Amino acid sequence: MTANLNPVVIQASDVHKAFGELEILKGVSLDVHKGEVVVLIGASGSGKTTFIRCINLLEDIQRGTIRVNGELMGYRERADGTRVRDSEKNIARQRRDIGMVFQRFNLFAHMTVLENIIEAPIGVLGVPRSQAIEQARALLARVRMSEKADHYPAQLSGGQQQRVAIARALAMKPQAMLFDEPTSALDPETVGEVLQVMKALAEDGMTMVVVTHEMGFAREVADRVVVLHQGELIEQGPPNQVFGNPHHPRTREFLSRVL
């Protein structure tokens, strides 16, 4: 694989995560470069969602480090090399730099589409309301939802709600976007409209880490496909290599079931 000369945005090193006795991540290391689209695939339970939740500090890790733009996420390093959990204020600040789109849309039901998008920029970033509204309308145009600005979430399809969720994440001007199976809760006819928005983001140079079962999207949009199996990164490479000539037998076994 050709070396990516762009700076590293996300750097995960030897990440371990367990829930009680159950070890979910067993030393995952992954660098994601600026403007790169990395798609994580693997069987259910392989650790994909847990991994991206660790990147966004929604899960603590037991061992290893995660850095975004060189900054250690979630912890402070002492002079003696030990780590202590950072303050919640600093963690909240760090989390702002990484947008996340979940399987479920998590929109505020009592707010309109526009209100959902401007809430965080005004409340967290201190953006003036008029500016936040202007930015929100531009984002709604970007996700092809301009005509729904005054609608409430209950008036939208699942695909429309997910596009609003993407616009809401983009409103914080993140350094990178994480997508956790963003189409898995959608009706088949609305999957395509969400994938089209994600494809456009990739074409615009957004750094993205995507957990998905949409292999067509992975083939077409990913710069790199990463395969997780039972908490370990077993293979990675360009889509044509991973899908066309996978090296690891577990990768071949998984793809034989989903392709």
Side-chain angles (χ1 to χ4, degrees):
M1 187 168 61
T2 304
N4 190 323
L5 300 180
N6 288 347
V8 174
V9 175
I10 298 169
Q11 182 180 48
S13 302
D14 193 33
V15 172
H16 289 254
K17 172 66 183 177
F19 295 104
E21 296 295 311
L22 182 62
E23 195 174 13
I24 305 297
L25 299 175
K26 305 171 184 176
V28 174
S29 296
L30 180 70
D31 289 353
V32 180
H33 296 259
K34 184 175 177 61
E36 188 177 22
V37 179
V38 174
V39 173
L40 305 182
I41 65 172
S44 296
S46 59
K48 306 180 301 294
T49 289
T50 299
F51 178 64
I52 64 169
R53 286 176 64 86
C54 290
I55 294 173
N56 206 34
L57 302 174
L58 296 175
E59 300 288 353
D60 290 328
I61 61 177
Q62 276 81 41
R63 214 167 84 216
T65 59
I66 295 173
R67 296 178 187 273
V68 173
N69 289 328
E71 183 179 6
L72 185 64
M73 299 293 287
Y75 298 89
R76 288 181 291 110
E77 290 179 317
R78 290 173 165 157
D80 62 1
T82 60
R83 296 182 311 169
V84 292
R85 185 173 171 83
D86 213 336
S87 69
E88 291 306 314
K89 182 179 178 181
N90 265 345
I91 288 174
R93 175 188 58 77
Q94 291 181 320
R95 200 176 275 140
R96 293 202 303 259
D97 287 337
I98 312 170
M100 187 154 182
V101 177
F102 300 88
Q103 295 177 36
R104 296 290 173 179
F105 329 117
N106 300 326
L107 299 176
F108 296 116
H110 64 289
M111 292 183 177
T112 65
V113 164
L114 190 70
E115 288 167 342
N116 264 281
I117 296 172
I118 66 174
E119 172 80 1
I122 292 173
V124 178
L125 299 182
V127 176
R129 183 178 177 84
S130 59
Q131 183 182 337
I133 289 173
E134 182 182 345
Q135 291 172 352
R137 292 196 184 281
L139 288 170
L140 285 173
R142 193 173 178 185
V143 300
R144 305 170 191 173
M145 288 289 293
S146 294
E147 75 285 359
K148 302 293 186 182
D150 297 323
H151 285 59
Y152 287 88
Q155 298 172 297
L156 306 177
S157 71
Q160 290 171 333
Q161 289 188 61
Q162 193 63 294
R163 283 187 279 160
V164 173
I166 292 171
R168 182 179 60 180
L170 291 172
M172 296 297 284
K173 299 185 176 178
Q175 302 288 317
M177 288 280 285
L178 310 177
F179 293 85
D180 180 18
E181 298 189 25
T183 60
S184 65
L186 302 181
D187 295 329
E189 62 268 21
T190 64
V191 168
E193 62 194 38
V194 174
L195 293 179
Q196 279 300 113
V197 167
M198 293 171 62
K199 182 180 177 184
L201 283 180
E203 290 169 350
D204 288 345
M206 174 61 72
T207 306
M208 297 165 59
V209 181
V210 183
V211 172
T212 187
H213 294 293
E214 300 289 341
M215 297 301 154
F217 174 85
R219 280 182 187 272
E220 183 180 0
V221 181
D223 296 300
R224 187 158 36 119
V225 175
V226 172
V227 187
L228 291 183
H229 175 71
Q230 295 183 353
E232 297 181 342
L233 196 163
I234 60 169
E235 184 160 358
Q236 60 179 310
N240 59 352
Q241 179 260 299
V242 173
F243 289 114
N245 185 29
H247 300 320
H248 199 287
R250 293 293 185 187
T251 305
R252 293 196 291 270
E253 179 186 340
F254 169 71
L255 292 175
S256 73
R257 295 199 304 268
V258 299
L259 294 179

